[in-house]
Amino acid sequence: MRREGSFQSRNTPYSEELRVDYSVGDKCAEKSPLDLRLTERYALFQDSGSTLHSYAIHHAEWPIFRVKIDNLRLDYSRFNPLLSGSPDKVQYSPGVSVLAW
């Protein structure tokens, strides 16, 4: 379930849950090398049974905004060794249009 300032996801078969309340802040004026690595991807991969297809994509640069987390509940027991502590990086983007071929 998503609404402004809140997102919730529940995996009922595994009793796992993600719930976050947040506020979106200012646009990031400069992007770090990590920001660019995470957002400026120009390939799309699609799994079609036993075949993996790769497509070239083109898009405008992703706008990135700062985010303040007000409340975070992360309960994914299968992944606890990977998901301990607070997130190292939290940002938001409304997305961009993508052309794939």
XYZ file of all heavy atoms in Angstrom:
824
model
N 0.852 -1.170 0.000
C 0.000 0.000 0.000
C 0.902 1.237 0.000
O 1.856 1.315 0.757
C -0.906 -0.011 1.232
C -1.731 1.231 1.345
S -2.955 1.241 2.669
C -1.996 0.884 4.098
N 0.566 2.173 -0.846
C 1.355 3.389 -0.946
C 0.430 4.597 -0.845
O -0.633 4.632 -1.444
C 2.066 3.417 -2.296
C 2.925 4.636 -2.503
C 3.515 4.643 -3.876
N 4.272 3.422 -4.069
C 5.352 3.312 -4.806
N 5.791 4.344 -5.451
N 5.978 2.170 -4.936
N 0.867 5.532 -0.063
C 0.200 6.841 -0.019
C 1.287 7.871 0.246
O 2.414 7.509 0.594
C -0.904 6.875 1.032
C -0.447 6.669 2.442
C -1.654 6.757 3.404
N -1.203 6.908 4.745
C -0.966 5.899 5.572
N -1.166 4.660 5.177
N -0.527 6.123 6.786
N 0.983 9.117 0.088
C 2.001 10.152 0.239
C 2.655 10.061 1.616
O 1.982 10.075 2.641
C 1.392 11.538 0.041
C 2.433 12.628 0.029
C 1.853 13.981 -0.339
O 0.799 14.032 -0.978
O 2.483 14.987 0.019
N 3.971 9.917 1.618
C 4.723 9.869 2.862
C 4.731 8.521 3.553
O 5.237 8.407 4.666
N 4.195 7.479 2.898
C 4.138 6.176 3.539
C 4.115 5.064 2.497
O 3.501 5.201 1.436
C 2.877 6.085 4.407
O 2.804 4.838 5.043
N 4.774 3.964 2.818
C 4.764 2.782 1.963
C 4.754 1.552 2.850
O 5.460 1.492 3.863
C 5.993 2.746 1.047
C 6.039 1.519 0.182
C 5.310 1.467 -0.991
C 6.797 0.422 0.550
C 5.333 0.330 -1.781
C 6.836 -0.720 -0.235
C 6.094 -0.765 -1.409
N 3.937 0.572 2.463
C 3.849 -0.670 3.227
C 3.737 -1.838 2.269
O 2.987 -1.789 1.291
C 2.639 -0.640 4.150
C 2.480 -1.888 4.973
C 1.279 -1.820 5.903
O 0.661 -0.776 6.054
N 0.942 -2.920 6.515
N 4.507 -2.889 2.543
C 4.456 -4.110 1.760
C 4.500 -5.297 2.714
O 5.281 -5.310 3.664
C 5.652 -4.173 0.803
O 5.652 -5.405 0.100
N 3.658 -6.289 2.459
C 3.615 -7.468 3.319
C 3.678 -8.722 2.464
O 2.910 -8.873 1.529
C 2.350 -7.461 4.153
C 2.250 -8.638 5.099
C 1.435 -8.263 6.326
N 1.331 -9.366 7.248
C 2.266 -9.682 8.137
N 3.342 -8.976 8.226
N 2.098 -10.706 8.954
N 4.609 -9.619 2.804
C 4.736 -10.920 2.169
C 4.097 -11.930 3.129
O 4.760 -12.471 4.020
C 6.205 -11.242 1.915
C 6.389 -12.535 1.179
O 5.510 -13.388 1.160
N 7.546 -12.700 0.569
N 2.813 -12.165 2.964
C 2.043 -12.979 3.901
C 2.559 -14.411 4.040
O 2.668 -14.903 5.167
C 0.554 -12.968 3.505
O 0.116 -11.610 3.451
C -0.295 -13.730 4.508
N 2.904 -15.102 2.943
C 3.374 -16.490 3.117
C 4.592 -16.618 4.034
O 4.773 -17.638 4.693
C 3.720 -16.937 1.700
C 2.895 -16.073 0.811
C 2.793 -14.756 1.527
N 5.442 -15.595 4.089
C 6.645 -15.642 4.924
C 6.539 -14.766 6.175
O 7.504 -14.619 6.909
C 7.869 -15.217 4.115
C 8.239 -16.214 3.052
C 7.862 -16.014 1.735
C 8.966 -17.357 3.368
C 8.201 -16.933 0.752
C 9.311 -18.282 2.387
C 8.912 -18.061 1.085
O 9.248 -18.975 0.119
N 5.400 -14.131 6.388
C 5.204 -13.211 7.523
C 6.290 -12.138 7.548
O 6.862 -11.838 8.597
C 5.181 -13.979 8.848
O 4.088 -14.856 8.873
N 6.566 -11.569 6.393
C 7.583 -10.515 6.284
C 6.900 -9.189 5.959
O 5.851 -9.158 5.317
C 8.595 -10.876 5.201
C 9.365 -12.122 5.555
C 10.246 -12.624 4.443
O 9.982 -12.341 3.269
O 11.224 -13.313 4.764
N 7.551 -8.102 6.401
C 6.910 -6.799 6.257
C 7.931 -5.684 6.095
O 9.002 -5.709 6.703
C 6.055 -6.522 7.493
C 5.364 -5.185 7.473
C 4.571 -4.927 8.739
O 4.902 -5.506 9.792
O 3.634 -4.129 8.665
N 7.574 -4.726 5.260
C 8.300 -3.467 5.143
C 7.282 -2.359 5.333
O 6.241 -2.335 4.664
C 8.962 -3.325 3.770
C 9.445 -1.916 3.406
C 10.570 -1.481 4.330
C 9.866 -1.851 1.958
N 7.573 -1.472 6.249
C 6.723 -0.301 6.467
C 7.639 0.885 6.702
O 8.529 0.835 7.541
C 5.818 -0.502 7.669
C 4.945 0.724 7.962
C 4.064 0.497 9.141
N 3.069 -0.498 8.790
C 2.157 -0.964 9.620
N 2.117 -0.543 10.864
N 1.282 -1.857 9.233
N 7.429 1.963 5.938
C 8.259 3.148 6.092
C 7.392 4.399 5.977
O 6.528 4.482 5.119
C 9.426 3.162 5.069
C 8.920 3.191 3.641
C 10.376 4.317 5.314
N 7.616 5.320 6.891
C 7.020 6.653 6.835
C 8.172 7.614 6.581
O 9.218 7.523 7.237
C 6.328 7.005 8.156
C 5.178 6.060 8.457
O 4.410 5.750 7.530
O 5.058 5.625 9.617
N 7.991 8.521 5.651
C 9.102 9.359 5.203
C 8.605 10.718 4.728
O 7.404 10.906 4.502
C 9.853 8.665 4.055
C 8.963 8.426 2.858
C 8.867 9.365 1.828
C 8.188 7.279 2.755
C 8.036 9.161 0.741
C 7.362 7.072 1.671
C 7.286 8.008 0.666
O 6.456 7.812 -0.409
N 9.544 11.630 4.572
C 9.238 12.920 3.949
C 10.324 13.204 2.918
O 11.505 12.953 3.157
C 9.144 14.040 4.990
O 10.294 14.064 5.796
N 9.897 13.694 1.768
C 10.816 14.009 0.673
C 11.292 15.437 0.834
O 10.495 16.347 1.054
C 10.126 13.812 -0.697
C 11.063 14.182 -1.832
C 9.645 12.375 -0.848
N 12.606 15.611 0.728
C 13.207 16.932 0.901
C 13.628 17.556 -0.411
O 13.012 17.348 -1.452
N 14.724 18.311 -0.348
C 15.219 19.065 -1.494
C 15.844 18.151 -2.550
O 16.336 17.057 -2.238
C 16.289 20.059 -1.036
C 15.722 21.119 -0.105
O 14.515 21.424 -0.216
O 16.481 21.625 0.728
N 15.868 18.652 -3.766
C 16.535 17.948 -4.858
C 18.048 18.004 -4.625
O 18.580 19.033 -4.210
C 16.192 18.605 -6.198
C 16.737 17.879 -7.395
C 16.250 18.513 -8.686
C 16.784 17.755 -9.881
N 16.326 18.353 -11.135
N 18.725 16.888 -4.879
C 20.183 16.836 -4.751
C 20.797 17.583 -5.933
O 20.558 17.223 -7.087
C 20.668 15.393 -4.737
S 20.039 14.438 -3.358
N 21.558 18.615 -5.637
C 22.151 19.440 -6.687
C 23.272 18.713 -7.417
O 23.430 18.849 -8.629
C 22.663 20.749 -6.093
N 24.057 17.957 -6.677
C 25.164 17.206 -7.269
C 25.020 15.740 -6.908
O 24.610 15.406 -5.798
C 26.506 17.735 -6.764
C 26.817 19.132 -7.246
C 28.215 19.565 -6.860
O 29.118 18.708 -6.828
O 28.389 20.751 -6.588
N 25.390 14.880 -7.854
C 25.309 13.442 -7.627
C 26.700 12.868 -7.410
O 27.647 13.233 -8.101
C 24.653 12.754 -8.817
C 23.208 13.159 -9.003
C 22.609 12.439 -10.191
C 21.179 12.894 -10.412
N 20.612 12.286 -11.610
N 26.789 11.956 -6.465
C 28.049 11.274 -6.199
C 28.258 10.186 -7.261
O 27.319 9.821 -7.981
C 28.003 10.632 -4.812
O 27.122 9.516 -4.825
N 29.468 9.652 -7.351
C 29.686 8.522 -8.269
C 28.742 7.344 -7.975
O 28.269 6.682 -8.894
C 31.149 8.142 -8.030
C 31.792 9.435 -7.607
C 30.738 10.115 -6.768
N 28.430 7.101 -6.701
C 27.499 6.029 -6.358
C 26.095 6.354 -6.873
O 25.411 5.482 -7.414
C 27.464 5.791 -4.851
C 26.480 4.724 -4.364
C 26.758 3.362 -5.010
C 26.500 4.631 -2.852
N 25.652 7.609 -6.721
C 24.345 8.007 -7.246
C 24.257 7.718 -8.743
O 23.254 7.182 -9.225
C 24.096 9.508 -7.032
C 23.973 9.887 -5.575
O 23.558 9.040 -4.760
O 24.310 11.046 -5.254
N 25.296 8.098 -9.469
C 25.309 7.867 -10.913
C 25.297 6.380 -11.236
O 24.581 5.938 -12.141
C 26.516 8.552 -11.554
C 26.510 10.072 -11.471
C 27.838 10.640 -11.947
C 25.353 10.650 -12.269
N 26.048 5.606 -10.496
C 26.103 4.156 -10.725
C 24.740 3.499 -10.499
O 24.344 2.584 -11.212
C 27.155 3.533 -9.804
C 27.216 2.045 -9.849
C 27.951 1.578 -11.082
N 28.040 0.124 -11.059
C 28.091 -0.617 -12.137
N 28.099 -0.062 -13.314
N 28.155 -1.919 -12.042
N 24.012 3.983 -9.517
C 22.718 3.390 -9.184
C 21.583 3.843 -10.087
O 20.584 3.131 -10.231
C 22.362 3.706 -7.721
C 23.268 3.076 -6.663
C 22.913 3.619 -5.285
C 23.177 1.563 -6.705
N 21.696 5.013 -10.699
C 20.570 5.547 -11.471
C 20.795 5.606 -12.977
O 19.838 5.545 -13.736
C 20.190 6.964 -10.999
O 21.313 7.840 -11.168
C 19.748 6.957 -9.551
N 21.995 5.765 -13.425
C 22.239 5.935 -14.858
C 22.577 4.592 -15.512
O 23.700 4.332 -15.910
C 23.335 6.980 -15.099
C 23.011 8.344 -14.511
C 21.654 8.889 -14.955
O 21.326 8.825 -16.165
O 20.908 9.374 -14.091
N 21.584 3.736 -15.592
C 21.720 2.411 -16.183
C 21.098 2.448 -17.580
O 20.018 3.001 -17.766
C 21.020 1.364 -15.331
C 21.348 1.452 -13.838
C 22.815 1.410 -13.507
N 23.380 0.140 -13.913
C 24.664 -0.083 -14.052
N 25.532 0.875 -13.823
N 25.109 -1.251 -14.424
N 21.754 1.844 -18.542
C 21.275 1.941 -19.917
C 21.080 0.579 -20.563
O 21.292 0.395 -21.750
C 22.222 2.824 -20.729
C 22.187 4.241 -20.215
C 23.123 4.683 -19.289
C 21.168 5.096 -20.580
C 23.057 5.966 -18.770
C 21.097 6.381 -20.070
C 22.049 6.804 -19.172
O 21.970 8.067 -18.652
N 20.648 -0.398 -19.765
C 20.306 -1.717 -20.279
C 19.116 -2.246 -19.487
O 18.960 -1.969 -18.306
C 21.479 -2.681 -20.167
N 18.271 -2.987 -20.182
C 17.104 -3.613 -19.576
C 17.219 -5.106 -19.832
O 17.525 -5.525 -20.956
C 15.824 -3.063 -20.225
C 14.522 -3.766 -19.912
C 14.122 -3.517 -18.469
C 13.426 -3.300 -20.860
N 17.007 -5.911 -18.811
C 17.104 -7.359 -18.946
C 15.751 -7.983 -18.664
O 15.065 -7.593 -17.721
C 18.153 -7.914 -17.978
C 19.521 -7.371 -18.250
C 19.997 -6.272 -17.552
C 20.327 -7.948 -19.221
C 21.256 -5.754 -17.805
C 21.593 -7.441 -19.484
C 22.049 -6.346 -18.777
N 15.363 -8.941 -19.516
C 14.094 -9.634 -19.355
C 14.332 -11.132 -19.393
O 14.932 -11.654 -20.339
C 13.113 -9.238 -20.457
C 11.784 -9.934 -20.331
C 10.837 -9.579 -21.459
O 11.235 -8.997 -22.463
N 9.582 -9.917 -21.294
N 13.870 -11.805 -18.373
C 13.970 -13.255 -18.270
C 12.764 -13.861 -18.986
O 11.621 -13.622 -18.591
C 13.992 -13.658 -16.799
C 14.166 -15.135 -16.594
O 14.254 -15.885 -17.581
O 14.208 -15.553 -15.430
N 13.016 -14.628 -20.039
C 11.945 -15.278 -20.802
C 12.155 -16.790 -20.761
O 12.653 -17.391 -21.709
C 11.941 -14.793 -22.252
O 11.744 -13.408 -22.309
N 11.821 -17.389 -19.649
C 12.015 -18.825 -19.495
C 13.487 -19.168 -19.380
O 14.150 -18.804 -18.427
N 14.026 -19.832 -20.392
C 15.434 -20.237 -20.356
C 16.360 -19.227 -21.038
O 17.552 -19.463 -21.158
C 15.595 -21.607 -21.032
O 15.210 -21.508 -22.394
N 15.814 -18.105 -21.491
C 16.599 -17.102 -22.214
C 16.574 -15.773 -21.470
O 15.553 -15.379 -20.927
C 16.023 -16.895 -23.632
O 15.941 -18.156 -24.284
C 16.881 -15.965 -24.445
N 17.707 -15.095 -21.465
C 17.796 -13.760 -20.888
C 18.025 -12.777 -22.031
O 19.020 -12.867 -22.749
C 18.947 -13.681 -19.888
C 19.117 -12.359 -19.147
C 17.891 -12.058 -18.292
C 20.357 -12.399 -18.278
N 17.091 -11.847 -22.235
C 17.184 -10.855 -23.301
C 17.722 -9.544 -22.731
O 17.366 -9.140 -21.630
C 15.818 -10.599 -23.936
C 15.221 -11.807 -24.571
N 15.608 -12.265 -25.806
C 14.282 -12.665 -24.128
C 14.926 -13.346 -26.105
N 14.102 -13.621 -25.097
N 18.571 -8.860 -23.511
C 19.122 -7.572 -23.125
C 18.686 -6.530 -24.157
O 18.789 -6.765 -25.365
C 20.647 -7.651 -23.080
O 21.184 -6.375 -22.845
N 18.190 -5.393 -23.678
C 17.738 -4.312 -24.552
C 18.469 -3.026 -24.174
O 18.668 -2.741 -22.997
C 16.226 -4.078 -24.391
C 15.392 -5.290 -24.711
C 14.974 -6.140 -23.690
C 15.032 -5.590 -26.013
C 14.199 -7.265 -23.972
C 14.262 -6.706 -26.301
C 13.858 -7.530 -25.273
O 13.101 -8.635 -25.549
N 18.821 -2.243 -25.182
C 19.388 -0.916 -24.932
C 18.246 0.020 -24.551
O 17.137 -0.093 -25.058
C 20.098 -0.408 -26.177
N 18.515 0.927 -23.621
C 17.505 1.918 -23.235
C 18.119 3.307 -23.236
O 19.336 3.472 -23.164
C 16.874 1.619 -21.863
C 17.914 1.686 -20.737
C 16.172 0.283 -21.858
C 17.305 1.596 -19.350
N 17.261 4.302 -23.355
C 17.687 5.700 -23.308
C 16.713 6.432 -22.383
O 15.512 6.210 -22.427
C 17.652 6.325 -24.709
C 17.998 7.764 -24.703
N 19.290 8.230 -24.530
C 17.220 8.859 -24.816
C 19.290 9.548 -24.550
N 18.047 9.947 -24.729
N 17.264 7.289 -21.541
C 16.415 8.081 -20.658
C 17.156 9.346 -20.229
O 18.376 9.419 -20.278
C 15.958 7.284 -19.432
C 17.076 6.751 -18.582
N 17.806 7.529 -17.717
C 17.585 5.504 -18.476
C 18.702 6.788 -17.096
N 18.606 5.550 -17.552
N 16.368 10.335 -19.806
C 16.943 11.554 -19.235
C 17.568 11.207 -17.881
O 17.263 10.166 -17.293
C 15.849 12.603 -19.053
N 18.424 12.068 -17.396
C 19.049 11.843 -16.095
C 17.975 11.827 -14.998
O 17.074 12.667 -14.991
C 20.064 12.950 -15.817
C 20.887 12.714 -14.602
C 22.016 13.717 -14.449
O 22.662 14.069 -15.459
O 22.243 14.148 -13.309
N 18.090 10.872 -14.088
C 17.124 10.743 -13.007
C 17.272 11.896 -12.008
O 18.374 12.141 -11.518
C 17.356 9.441 -12.247
C 16.888 8.221 -12.963
C 17.438 7.674 -14.072
C 15.787 7.405 -12.616
N 16.753 6.553 -14.439
C 15.733 6.362 -13.560
C 14.854 7.436 -11.590
C 14.773 5.372 -13.508
C 13.897 6.439 -11.551
C 13.855 5.426 -12.497
N 16.186 12.581 -11.663
C 16.250 13.551 -10.568
C 16.237 12.802 -9.240
O 15.508 11.819 -9.085
C 14.976 14.382 -10.745
C 14.022 13.466 -11.443
C 14.874 12.551 -12.301
N 17.057 13.212 -8.306
C 17.141 12.549 -7.002
C 16.862 13.571 -5.903
O 17.385 14.684 -5.939
C 18.540 11.928 -6.787
C 18.810 10.837 -7.823
C 18.650 11.353 -5.385
C 20.204 10.258 -7.723
N 16.049 13.163 -4.941
C 15.674 14.027 -3.826
C 16.100 13.388 -2.503
O 16.090 12.169 -2.354
C 14.155 14.249 -3.806
C 13.663 15.026 -4.988
C 13.431 14.397 -6.201
C 13.446 16.386 -4.890
C 12.976 15.101 -7.301
C 12.994 17.111 -5.990
C 12.761 16.463 -7.197
N 16.440 14.228 -1.543
C 16.769 13.744 -0.208
C 15.504 13.198 0.459
O 14.395 13.657 0.168
C 17.350 14.874 0.631
C 18.744 15.275 0.212
C 19.244 16.489 0.993
N 20.607 16.819 0.683
C 21.056 17.284 -0.487
N 20.217 17.454 -1.478
N 22.332 17.560 -0.675
N 15.679 12.257 1.353
C 14.550 11.667 2.064
C 14.892 11.588 3.551
O 16.005 11.234 3.920
C 14.243 10.242 1.539
C 13.225 9.548 2.419
C 13.753 10.291 0.108
N 13.927 11.918 4.395
C 14.061 11.752 5.844
C 13.111 10.626 6.245
O 11.912 10.679 5.966
C 13.692 13.037 6.581
C 13.752 12.884 8.088
C 13.347 14.191 8.768
C 13.279 14.015 10.257
N 11.969 13.555 10.710
N 13.668 9.586 6.852
C 12.838 8.477 7.323
C 12.345 8.804 8.728
O 13.135 9.055 9.631
C 13.623 7.150 7.309
C 13.941 6.761 5.877
C 12.818 6.056 8.011
C 14.677 5.461 5.730
N 11.030 8.800 8.887
C 10.420 9.082 10.180
C 10.188 7.800 10.978
O 10.261 7.803 12.198
C 9.090 9.819 9.984
C 9.288 11.133 9.240
O 10.219 11.882 9.600
O 8.536 11.398 8.283
N 9.879 6.709 10.277
C 9.625 5.428 10.936
C 9.953 4.321 9.935
O 9.539 4.397 8.778
C 8.156 5.345 11.363
C 7.852 4.076 12.105
O 8.673 3.566 12.864
N 6.662 3.540 11.880
N 10.688 3.306 10.378
C 11.045 2.191 9.504
C 10.865 0.883 10.250
O 11.403 0.699 11.340
C 12.500 2.314 9.035
C 13.041 1.148 8.206
C 12.280 1.002 6.901
C 14.529 1.340 7.949
N 10.071 0.007 9.675
C 9.931 -1.366 10.179
C 10.301 -2.289 9.029
O 9.641 -2.308 7.995
C 8.518 -1.646 10.654
C 8.343 -3.099 11.086
C 6.961 -3.326 11.703
N 6.677 -4.732 11.853
C 7.191 -5.526 12.778
N 8.058 -5.046 13.639
N 6.854 -6.799 12.846
N 11.348 -3.038 9.237
C 11.854 -3.948 8.216
C 11.987 -5.320 8.860
O 12.872 -5.540 9.683
C 13.208 -3.459 7.701
C 13.828 -4.196 6.542
C 12.932 -4.151 5.312
C 15.175 -3.585 6.219
N 11.084 -6.219 8.515
C 11.072 -7.552 9.112
C 11.058 -8.593 7.996
O 10.001 -8.996 7.522
C 9.849 -7.712 10.015
C 9.829 -9.047 10.742
O 10.847 -9.773 10.710
O 8.784 -9.365 11.339
N 12.245 -8.955 7.538
C 12.429 -9.973 6.506
C 13.376 -11.021 7.084
O 14.581 -10.983 6.854
C 13.019 -9.362 5.235
C 11.984 -8.699 4.369
C 11.416 -7.491 4.734
C 11.569 -9.303 3.199
C 10.468 -6.879 3.949
C 10.603 -8.703 2.403
C 10.055 -7.497 2.779
O 9.100 -6.905 1.996
N 12.832 -11.951 7.855
C 13.657 -12.896 8.613
C 14.633 -13.668 7.731
O 15.751 -13.961 8.158
C 12.774 -13.863 9.394
O 11.885 -14.541 8.524
N 14.271 -13.975 6.499
C 15.182 -14.705 5.610
C 16.411 -13.888 5.241
O 17.427 -14.438 4.837
C 14.456 -15.123 4.322
C 13.323 -16.106 4.568
C 12.573 -16.421 3.296
N 11.967 -15.217 2.756
C 11.730 -15.026 1.457
N 12.057 -15.941 0.569
N 11.152 -13.915 1.039
N 16.326 -12.569 5.356
C 17.419 -11.697 4.927
C 18.029 -10.889 6.068
O 18.761 -9.935 5.839
C 16.929 -10.748 3.827
C 16.345 -11.471 2.653
C 14.975 -11.495 2.435
C 17.161 -12.142 1.756
C 14.439 -12.166 1.354
C 16.633 -12.822 0.676
C 15.266 -12.837 0.474
N 17.739 -11.231 7.315
C 18.249 -10.472 8.460
C 19.753 -10.227 8.426
O 20.195 -9.122 8.755
C 17.842 -11.125 9.775
C 16.430 -10.759 10.172
O 15.848 -9.833 9.633
N 15.873 -11.514 11.099
N 20.595 -11.210 8.020
C 22.039 -10.924 7.978
C 22.412 -9.795 7.000
O 23.417 -9.126 7.185
C 22.655 -12.248 7.525
C 21.652 -13.288 7.897
C 20.315 -12.620 7.741
N 21.591 -9.570 5.999
C 21.870 -8.524 5.010
C 21.238 -7.184 5.363
O 21.656 -6.152 4.842
C 21.353 -8.951 3.632
C 21.956 -10.217 3.043
C 21.211 -10.617 1.784
C 23.427 -10.005 2.749
N 20.223 -7.201 6.203
C 19.415 -6.000 6.433
C 19.467 -5.491 7.862
O 18.490 -5.003 8.394
C 17.953 -6.294 6.059
C 17.707 -6.716 4.621
C 16.249 -7.135 4.424
C 18.083 -5.608 3.656
N 20.602 -5.574 8.508
C 20.683 -5.104 9.892
C 21.031 -3.616 9.934
O 21.707 -3.099 9.060
C 21.735 -5.911 10.655
O 22.994 -5.726 10.069
N 20.552 -2.934 10.955
C 20.862 -1.521 11.133
C 20.039 -0.623 10.230
O 19.076 -1.034 9.597
N 20.438 0.638 10.171
C 19.751 1.631 9.338
C 20.305 1.615 7.922
O 21.469 1.261 7.711
C 19.944 3.026 9.932
O 19.375 3.080 11.213
N 19.513 2.032 6.942
C 20.019 2.098 5.564
C 21.189 3.073 5.456
O 21.216 4.113 6.110
C 18.828 2.619 4.767
C 17.640 2.416 5.636
C 18.122 2.423 7.043
N 22.169 2.746 4.609
C 23.319 3.620 4.389
C 22.983 4.786 3.465
O 23.599 5.845 3.546
C 24.479 2.827 3.772
C 25.038 1.793 4.736
O 25.056 2.069 5.952
O 25.434 0.714 4.278
N 22.018 4.604 2.581
C 21.676 5.651 1.614
C 20.178 5.588 1.355
O 19.633 4.524 1.098
C 22.441 5.421 0.318
C 22.344 6.559 -0.665
C 23.393 6.363 -1.745
C 23.676 7.572 -2.544
N 24.273 8.679 -1.855
N 19.521 6.734 1.442
C 18.081 6.804 1.214
C 17.809 8.026 0.345
O 18.163 9.151 0.710
C 17.307 6.944 2.542
C 15.815 7.020 2.285
C 17.646 5.812 3.474
N 17.208 7.789 -0.816
C 16.854 8.881 -1.715
C 15.556 8.520 -2.429
O 15.094 7.384 -2.381
C 17.962 9.120 -2.741
C 19.250 9.603 -2.093
C 20.392 9.687 -3.073
O 20.577 8.817 -3.904
N 21.177 10.746 -2.958
N 14.993 9.496 -3.121
C 13.735 9.309 -3.831
C 13.845 9.925 -5.218
O 14.510 10.949 -5.408
C 12.586 9.983 -3.071
C 11.340 10.131 -3.896
C 10.488 9.057 -4.095
C 11.033 11.334 -4.514
C 9.349 9.177 -4.872
C 9.896 11.469 -5.289
C 9.060 10.387 -5.477
O 7.949 10.518 -6.250
N 13.175 9.298 -6.178
C 13.032 9.887 -7.500
C 11.623 9.603 -8.001
O 11.124 8.485 -7.820
C 14.047 9.306 -8.486
O 13.853 9.904 -9.760
N 10.978 10.581 -8.633
C 9.663 10.325 -9.204
C 9.750 9.473 -10.474
O 8.740 9.015 -10.989
C 9.119 11.725 -9.518
C 10.347 12.563 -9.696
C 11.390 11.979 -8.776
N 10.974 9.226 -10.953
C 11.170 8.394 -12.143
C 11.347 9.223 -13.405
O 11.246 10.449 -13.387
N 11.609 8.513 -14.481
C 11.773 9.135 -15.796
C 11.130 8.239 -16.839
O 10.942 7.037 -16.603
C 13.266 9.357 -16.152
C 13.911 10.367 -15.224
C 14.028 8.054 -16.139
N 10.824 8.790 -17.991
C 10.342 7.989 -19.111
C 11.520 7.308 -19.761
O 12.615 7.884 -19.852
C 9.628 8.860 -20.148
O 8.447 9.416 -19.579
N 11.315 6.067 -20.207
C 12.404 5.278 -20.784
C 11.997 4.805 -22.176
O 10.866 4.369 -22.397
C 12.702 4.049 -19.891
C 13.708 3.126 -20.543
C 13.180 4.497 -18.526
N 12.949 4.909 -23.106
C 12.763 4.372 -24.451
C 13.642 3.138 -24.564
O 14.844 3.197 -24.318
C 13.184 5.416 -25.500
C 13.203 4.975 -26.949
C 11.780 4.620 -27.414
C 13.773 6.062 -27.823
N 13.029 1.988 -24.862
C 13.784 0.731 -24.985
C 13.651 0.197 -26.405
O 12.623 0.326 -27.033
C 13.245 -0.293 -23.977
N 14.759 -0.384 -26.885
C 14.724 -1.018 -28.203
C 15.640 -2.208 -28.261
O 16.476 -2.416 -27.458
C 15.038 -0.012 -29.314
C 16.434 0.495 -29.323
C 17.490 -0.007 -30.022
C 16.943 1.616 -28.596
N 18.609 0.729 -29.791
C 18.314 1.734 -28.916
C 16.400 2.529 -27.701
C 19.117 2.716 -28.371
C 17.216 3.507 -27.182
C 18.547 3.592 -27.516
